[in-house]
């Protein structure tokens, strides 16, 4: 619906449109931080009546004639980018850049020069696909994306986040090329930040520092990722990170915040917010600026928080003069689902710790409101249709 209006409505059930489609009955779906960017209309191209949701799993109820790897009754997790598996990008395992899945590519090309892949429930910039915060969803290229969960002892909650936030956090850490002894700093202790911090530890970081302002989230990062934490409202983050690293700065900095960052100094936050409102910039990129300024000379800045358009006051001088490497991207989820499922099966990762709210699908509007306004110490909402 319009900005900040999410409603639950009866709509016609989706149908098979192409031979490679499958229809999935949703058993669990989550609200993502990036859904809030849509909710607040920071990402363009949403229309009234669009069905949101790109983090979902469920049971296959119908398959097209060309889907031979799935059968009715299979339990699957579906990756958020839609990918054909055969184009130049897919062959390079850059699934979020699939050249065949964005049916509204010209709109994306106008904004970004080229189009990335289509994404479930993510506006008419990225294909206008109906999302999975619903009872049923049509999954295109179902012979490529969905991951079958064979182990019935795994709960939905244990595997649902393979659809986005776990692989996204993991990729954010992987982009840092972590070496033994490295210090990695993570901006944002939402689910992606939590999983980025956890993954940085799994990939060998000696110390992980997580930056946020919400006490419960920081506590979560300490408890589950063994992170040290900084509350940016209480401390000068740049100075503190220098202190913690002998003056050098973290070897890698991960931006898991994206375009709706808050700034502890009210005037700067207001500056970004005003420019964003007037569409003079589309991003409030304070976290990214701070990640760049904080990173050690020659270090890596990994951007996995979502950005939509153009940022103001981007410190390119700091990037260039200090030989920083910037790596980024929407997650190529397909690449990570199997190895991460293996880690979950071996109990090396238990992603369920981020879930703070279980709601029915009918309660989705309440879920958006709670998540948006950090009510009830909300970190992650899972909806059960
Ligand atoms: Zn998401
Ligand atoms: Zn492709």
């Amino acid at each position: 619906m319009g900005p900040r209006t999410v409603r639950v409505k009866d709509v016609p059930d989706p149908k098979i449109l192409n031979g490679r489609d499958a229809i999935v009955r949703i058993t669990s779906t989550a609200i993502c931080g990036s859904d809030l960017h849509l909710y607040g209309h920071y990402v363009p191209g949403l229309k009234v009546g669009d069905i949101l949701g790109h983090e979902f799993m469920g049971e296959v109820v119908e398959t097209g004639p060309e889907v031979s790897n799935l059968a009715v009754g299979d339990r699957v997790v579906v990756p958020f980018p839609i990918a054909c598996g055969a184009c130049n990008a897919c062959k390079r395992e850059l699934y979020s850049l699939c050249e065949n899945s964005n049916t509204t590519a010209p709109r994306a090309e106008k904004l970004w020069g080229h189009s990335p892949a289509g994404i479930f429930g993510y506006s008419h910039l990225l294909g206008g696909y109906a999302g999975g915060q619903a009872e049923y969803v049509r999954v295109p290229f179902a012979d490529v994306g969905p991951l079958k969960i064979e182990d019935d002892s795994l709960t939905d909650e244990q595997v649902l986040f393979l659809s986005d936030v776990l692989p996204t956090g993991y990729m954010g850490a992987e982009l840092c090329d972590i070496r033994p002894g490295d210090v990695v700093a993570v901006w944002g202790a939402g689910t992606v930040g939590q999983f980025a911090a956890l993954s940085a530890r799994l990939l060998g970081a000696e110390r992980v520092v997580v930056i946020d302002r919400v006490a419960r989230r920081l506590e979560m990062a300490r408890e589950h990722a063994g992170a040290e934490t900084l509350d940016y409202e209480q401390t000068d983050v740049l100075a503190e990170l220098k202190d913690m690293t002998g003056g050098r700065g973290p070897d890698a900095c991960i931006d898991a915040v994206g375009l709706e960052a808050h700034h502890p100094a009210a005037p700067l936050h207001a500056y970004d917010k005003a420019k964003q409102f007037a569409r003079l910039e589309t991003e409030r990129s304070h976290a990214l600026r701070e990640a760049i300024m904080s990173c050690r000379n020659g270090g890596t800045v990994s951007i996995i928080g979502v950005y939509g358009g153009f940022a103001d006051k981007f410190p390119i001088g700091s990037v260039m003069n200090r030989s920083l490497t910037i790596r980024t991207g929407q997650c190529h989820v397909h690449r990570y689902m199997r190895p991460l499922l293996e880690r979950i099966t071996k109990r090396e990762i238990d992603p369920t710790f981020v879930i703070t709210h279980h709601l029915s699908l009918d309660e989705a509007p309440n879920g958006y409101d709670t998540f948006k306004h950090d009510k009830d110490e909300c970190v992650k909402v899972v909806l059960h249709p």
Side-chain angles (χ1 to χ4, degrees), residues 30-35 53-55 80 122 163-165 168 191-192 306 330 380:
I31 303 177
C32 181
S34 64
D35 290 329
H54 58 269
E55 301 181 3
F80 78 82
Y122 218 78
S163 58
D164 175 1
V165 282
T168 296
T191 48
V192 169
V306 171
Q330 288 280 10
K380 190 69 170 171

Side-chain angles (χ1 to χ4, degrees), residues 211-215 218 229-237 240 263-265:
I211 300 131
D212 203 295
R213 62 173 178 171
V214 180
L218 292 174
T229 58
L230 296 177
D231 176 345
Y232 66 77
E233 288 189 329
Q234 307 296 329
T235 187
D236 177 342
V237 172
E240 193 68 34
H263 193 287

Side-chain angles (χ1 to χ4, degrees), residues 133-267:
Q133 287 162 13
E135 291 178 308
Y136 295 91
V137 67
R138 178 178 74 95
V139 178
F141 302 125
D143 53 331
V144 176
L147 175 72
K148 217 160 120 175
I149 306 296
E150 321 249 14
D151 181 349
D152 286 335
S153 74
L154 294 171
T155 62
D156 273 21
E157 289 76 12
Q158 279 174 291
V159 294
L160 171 62
F161 301 136
L162 288 168
S163 58
D164 175 1
V165 282
L166 179 56
T168 296
Y170 187 88
M171 186 173 106
E174 195 189 63
L175 291 175
C176 298
D177 284 335
I178 294 166
R179 295 184 200 182
D182 274 1
V183 180
V184 177
V186 181
W187 274 256
T191 48
V192 169
Q194 299 286 344
F195 291 139
L198 185 74
S199 302
R201 290 307 289 258
L202 287 172
L203 291 170
E206 188 168 302
R207 292 169 71 193
V208 175
V209 186
V210 172
I211 300 131
D212 203 295
R213 62 173 178 171
V214 180
R216 178 171 187 181
R217 295 178 178 207
L218 292 174
E219 190 190 305
M220 208 178 247
R222 286 194 294 272
E223 190 180 330
H224 295 276
E228 298 160 68
T229 58
L230 296 177
D231 176 345
Y232 66 77
E233 288 189 329
Q234 307 296 329
T235 187
D236 177 342
V237 172
L238 177 61
E240 193 68 34
L241 285 172
K242 271 188 186 169
D243 259 11
M244 295 169 87
T245 54
R248 199 176 284 141
D251 300 283
C253 292
I254 301 174
D255 172 3
V257 177
L259 60 81
E260 287 185 65
H262 288 264
H263 193 287

Side-chain angles (χ1 to χ4, degrees), residues 60-71:
V60 175
V61 293
E62 197 183 348
T63 56
E66 289 165 58
V67 180
S68 53
N69 58 317
L70 296 177

Side-chain angles (χ1 to χ4, degrees), residues 82-91 95 97-101:
I82 300 169
C84 77
C87 71
N88 185 53
C90 285
K91 279 193 187 140
Y95 297 100
L97 303 176
C98 174
E99 294 164 358
N100 290 321
S101 63

Side-chain angles (χ1 to χ4, degrees), residues 4 9 15 19 52 79 127-128 153 231-232 275 286 299-300 318 332 345 348 357 365:
R4 310 211 172 151
K9 289 184 75 171
K15 293 195 167 42
L52 298 170
S153 74
D231 176 345
Y232 66 77
K275 290 202 77 166
H286 175 67
T300 299
S318 179
H332 308 293
T345 306
E348 288 172 18
H357 290 68

